[in-house]
Amino acid sequence: MAVTDEKDIQQLKKRLIELADKAYSRNIYTYTPFLGLAEQQAYYAVEREVSYAGVRMEGGAPFSERKIIRFGDPGYEEAFPIVCMEIWPRTPKFAENLTHRDFLGAVMNLGIERDVVGDFFVKEKGALLFCHENIADYIVENLDRVRHTNVACKRAEGEIVPEQAEPERISVTVASPRADGVISKVYNLSREESRELFNNGRIFINGIQTQNLSCQLKEGDAVTVRGFGKFIFYGQTGVSRKGKDRVEVGVFGKT
């Protein structure tokens, strides 16, 4: 369900409405594949139209970005078709320092679609991966190398909640907590470059895409800038000698 243009967005909206109608009319649960932040905006555009069916989103971990949407409220609970996989080097002593991109590339090289794969959480030299249950065994059987590192893979046992990496706390000085100004300072961009990111649909605040440059950030807002990373806005900490706001943010790695 990857969306690349307006036609894809309209098709995804139509599919979401169909899934909601099927869940409601048959009194069952229906599921989307994993949807990225950009694809989730198609849901928010039809949220009111499908709310009658009962809606829940889940990605496997509390702070997952890629999520499956479930429609339905049949009166019983059913687990999401999401499996947590553990990937680790067979010989940790000689393993490379692998990145999110390395793990993603290795899994995609198995010939599977992106929409059956959720988020990766890299820890030390291994990773946790959330994926659709239908593809889990295939990944276990075929994922044996990430870059030049031989790896093993298995379904995680029990409930595993990955730890979110601690962000780097930094302080920046801005005229106001406007989203475009804060983003410019955090990623050392010009206002024009920041504006282009908004215009190109690459800014998400609390998971919702926005093109509102003048949006005022609030304490606790999570801002994702596709291609640059993610940060948490902690709020104002003081005022500079020139009367500008001094704000603090927690910056995560590149996404």
Side-chain angles (χ1 to χ4, degrees):
M1 285 192 178
V3 294
T4 58
D5 54 32
E6 185 61 29
K7 181 179 179 181
D8 290 335
I9 293 173
Q10 295 305 319
Q11 289 179 341
L12 179 51
K13 289 179 182 178
K14 181 180 178 181
R15 179 56 178 158
L16 294 173
I17 293 171
E18 290 174 347
L19 286 172
D21 182 65
K22 180 180 179 180
Y24 183 79
S25 61
R26 299 187 184 182
N27 200 31
I28 60 173
Y29 286 120
T30 60
Y31 299 87
T32 69
F34 279 99
L35 303 178
L37 288 176
E39 295 158 323
Q40 290 168 31
Q41 306 319 300
Y43 161 71
Y44 290 117
V46 298
E47 185 174 14
R48 290 186 179 182
E49 296 179 56
V50 300
S51 61
Y52 68 91
V55 184
R56 182 178 163 190
M57 302 174 70
E58 179 62 62
F63 34 81
S64 297
E65 286 195 350
R66 295 181 60 80
K67 296 179 180 180
I68 288 176
I69 300 177
R70 183 181 75 181
F71 296 102
D73 187 16
Y76 61 89
E77 185 54 40
E78 180 177 278
F80 275 72
I82 299 175
V83 175
C84 180
M85 312 290 290
E86 293 181 287
I87 307 170
W88 71 96
R90 292 187 179 275
T91 311
K93 180 179 179 180
F94 301 106
E96 302 161 275
N97 292 318
L98 301 170
T99 67
H100 175 280
R101 180 173 294 182
D102 294 328
F103 286 104
L104 174 60
V107 171
M108 292 297 94
N109 284 339
L110 298 180
I112 62 180
E113 297 296 327
R114 184 69 174 101
D115 62 10
V116 298
V117 177
D119 286 357
F120 290 81
F121 295 92
V122 179
K123 184 176 182 181
E124 297 176 354
K125 294 187 177 182
L128 295 177
L129 160 64
F130 290 94
C131 68
H132 196 284
E133 62 181 7
N134 289 344
I135 204 68
D137 289 341
Y138 180 82
I139 294 175
V140 169
E141 294 169 4
N142 292 278
L143 183 62
D144 56 12
R145 182 181 293 269
V146 179
R147 287 186 64 188
H148 305 294
T149 299
N150 292 325
V151 300
C153 182
K154 70 172 185 178
R155 293 178 180 234
E157 298 179 358
E159 183 178 0
I160 294 182
V161 179
E163 296 179 1
Q164 189 174 27
E166 285 297 318
E168 177 187 0
R169 299 179 78 104
I170 65 173
S171 179
V172 296
T173 301
V174 293
S176 73
R178 275 179 47 139
D180 61 340
V182 176
I183 289 170
S184 296
K185 287 290 187 178
V186 170
Y187 296 112
N188 194 28
L189 303 171
S190 68
R191 278 298 181 95
E192 182 60 33
E193 290 172 324
S194 177
R195 187 177 299 111
E196 283 299 309
L197 292 173
F198 280 89
N199 292 339
N200 293 333
R202 294 170 65 182
I203 306 297
F204 299 82
I205 299 178
N206 299 323
I208 300 176
Q209 189 179 66
T210 180
Q211 293 184 320
N212 181 10
L213 286 74
S214 60
C215 172
Q216 301 287 308
L217 295 179
K218 303 182 297 297
E219 183 177 346
D221 279 348
V223 181
T224 298
V225 183
R226 299 317 299 262
F228 289 84
K230 175 181 176 180
F231 66 86
I232 305 297
F233 184 76
Y234 293 133
Q236 185 177 5
T237 59
V239 179
S240 71
R241 292 181 179 180
K242 295 183 178 181
K244 292 187 175 182
D245 293 340
R246 186 176 293 111
V247 301
E248 188 174 64
V249 302
V251 182
F252 295 92
K254 186 174 183 179
T255 59

